């Protein structure tokens, strides 16, 4: 499992899906923005749509919180991803204090992130987050290997898989209806740079 220390903000999954569909970002995988060419495609799309803030930002990273062993997982993917301008990655631990002290974010970059946040996820806080990202495919492979050796899923686990597949189907059918009802969001001039501790789901903790 990888550990990421990221500076940025959360972007709701449903808003990600809608953005990818409306903007026709063909190479982006809205359920996992860390996969394939998604990051490159999203950066290119953002540079076209939001040239002013993107001119003051490094190439953005899109970090996915992922706990492949979460038995209560009931969505096609996690309910949000992180849009980040600073990312540190480790397979074991990160010296949070040292990293934050070394990362002095220029005012222009901070303001650009605030502008982008107001466009994509108004109301979300900009701050430092520790994000855990497991390997769901590896977890799936381990489960299949256990079944090959005679260790099968429990009834609850099988029910959870069936429920997840049903929800994925529901999301895919309903997404086009949601997009049809929406208008393309307009940019707000408001800025906010407060870092507060809110309700943080499993796998990530706001560092303040």
């Amino acid at each position: 499992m990888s550990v990421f220390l990221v500076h940025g903000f959360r972007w709701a999954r449903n808003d990600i899906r809608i953005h990818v569909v409306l903007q026709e970002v063909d190479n982006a995988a809205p359920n996992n923005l860390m996969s394939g060419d998604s990051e490159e495609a999203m950066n290119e799309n953002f540079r076209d749509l939001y040239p002013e803030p993107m001119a003051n930002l490094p190439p953005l990273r899109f970090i996915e919180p992922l706990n492949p062993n979460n038995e209560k997982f009931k969505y096609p993917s996690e309910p949000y991803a992180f849009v980040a301008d600073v990312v540190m990655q480790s397979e074991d631990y990160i010296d949070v204090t040292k990293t934050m002290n070394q990362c002095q974010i220029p005012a222009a970059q901070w303001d650009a992130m605030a502008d982008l946040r107001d466009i994509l996820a108004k109301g979300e806080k900009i701050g430092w987050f520790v994000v855990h990202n497991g390997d769901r495919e590896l977890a799936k492979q381990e489960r299949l290997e256990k079944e090959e050796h005679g260790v099968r899923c429990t009834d609850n686990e099988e029910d959870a898989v069936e429920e997840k597949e049903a929800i994925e189907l529901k999301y895919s059918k309903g997404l086009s209806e949601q997009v049809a009802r929406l208008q393309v969001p307009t940019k707000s001039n408001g800025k906010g740079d407060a870092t507060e501790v809110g309700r943080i789901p499993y796998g990530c903790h706001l560092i303040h």
Side-chain angles (χ1 to χ4, degrees), residues 43 45-58 60 107-116 119 187-189 191:
N43 271 282
N45 174 257
F46 281 8
R47 285 191 292 268
D48 290 340
L49 291 177
Y50 321 121
E52 185 174 347
M54 291 297 290
N56 293 303
L57 290 171
L60 297 173
Q109 182 172 326
W110 184 282
D111 289 344
M113 279 296 284
D115 285 343
L116 190 62
I119 297 169
K187 178 179 177 181
S188 170
N189 292 325
K191 293 182 179 180

Side-chain angles (χ1 to χ4, degrees), residues 26 162 169 176:
D26 295 333
E162 292 177 359
L169 180 61
S176 59

Side-chain angles (χ1 to χ4, degrees), residues 107-128:
Q109 182 172 326
W110 184 282
D111 289 344
M113 279 296 284
D115 285 343
L116 190 62
R117 182 275 315 275
D118 287 343
I119 297 169
L120 300 175
K122 190 171 180 61
E124 288 290 342
K125 305 302 183 213
I126 298 175
W128 290 95

Side-chain angles (χ1 to χ4, degrees), residues 57-118:
L57 290 171
L60 297 173
R61 296 288 308 278
F62 299 86
I63 304 300
E64 298 277 358
L66 178 58
N67 181 356
N69 297 315
N70 180 16
E71 295 180 357
K72 296 181 180 179
F73 181 78
K74 296 187 178 187
Y75 298 92
S77 56
E78 303 299 336
Y80 56 84
F82 287 90
V83 181
D85 58 344
V86 178
V87 175
M88 298 292 293
Q89 180 179 359
S90 174
E91 296 302 320
D92 42 29
Y93 72 93
I94 294 175
D95 188 330
V96 175
T97 302
K98 180 179 179 180
T99 302
M100 291 176 61
N101 288 338
Q102 291 177 342
C103 293
Q104 300 298 320
I105 300 174
Q109 182 172 326
W110 184 282
D111 289 344
M113 279 296 284
D115 285 343
L116 190 62
R117 182 275 315 275
D118 287 343

